[in-house]
Amino acid sequence: VQLQASGGGLVQPGGSLRLSCVASGSISDIRDMGWYRQAPGKQRESVATITRGGSTNYADSVKGRFTISRDNAKNTVDLQTNSLNPEDTAVYYCNADVKRTYYFNYVNVWGQGTQVTVSS
């Protein structure tokens, strides 16, 4: 099972980016999905998470600016980021709890990360 993230880039303050992540492989179910970020010299932090049923949770720093969504049929999770500021600069990682085909347990899987840089 793999998670492939995309959509990062360089954006000016106030701008927007849409990050996308797709899970591939022999998957029978995906429970929680989410986006995390890690800025230079800082620990990785949760940005937003979403359950299979669509319940969401956001870090206080991104509430009202970021929106997480998922498509259960396509095994994707997206993060719409608006009103970006330099403090949002980080590598963004997608994450998911995945149940593989023929397995009983869920495993936690990380994507490779996509760089978001907010600068003028």
Side-chain angles (χ1 to χ4, degrees), residues 4-112:
Q4 181 70 40
S6 62
L10 173 64
V11 63
Q12 292 187 340
S16 299
L17 283 174
R18 188 173 184 86
L19 309 183
S20 296
C21 177
V22 58
S24 62
S26 297
I27 298 170
S28 64
D29 186 51
I30 301 178
R31 205 160 47 188
D32 294 351
M33 304 184 82
W35 286 92
Y36 294 72
R37 67 185 181 186
Q38 187 166 18
K42 294 187 176 181
Q43 288 188 332
R44 190 173 298 187
E45 63 175 356
S46 174
V47 175
T49 59
I50 185 168
T51 67
R52 188 193 300 111
S55 296
T56 59
N57 191 49
Y58 295 93
D60 288 342
S61 59
V62 307
K63 282 180 181 177
R65 301 188 297 123
F66 291 10
T67 302
I68 189 170
S69 60
R70 66 186 282 175
D71 185 326
N72 293 331
K74 297 180 179 179
N75 292 337
T76 60
V77 59
D78 291 347
L79 185 69
Q80 177 66 43
T81 67
N82 299 325
S83 302
L84 287 162
N85 58 63
E87 289 71 38
D88 295 314
T89 296
V91 178
Y92 284 69
Y93 299 89
C94 56
N95 177 270
D97 291 328
V98 179
K99 185 174 180 293
R100 296 162 293 175
T101 305
Y102 306 122
Y103 286 78
F104 294 103
N105 61 312
Y106 287 80
V107 293
N108 191 254
V109 183
W110 290 94
Q112 87 285 6

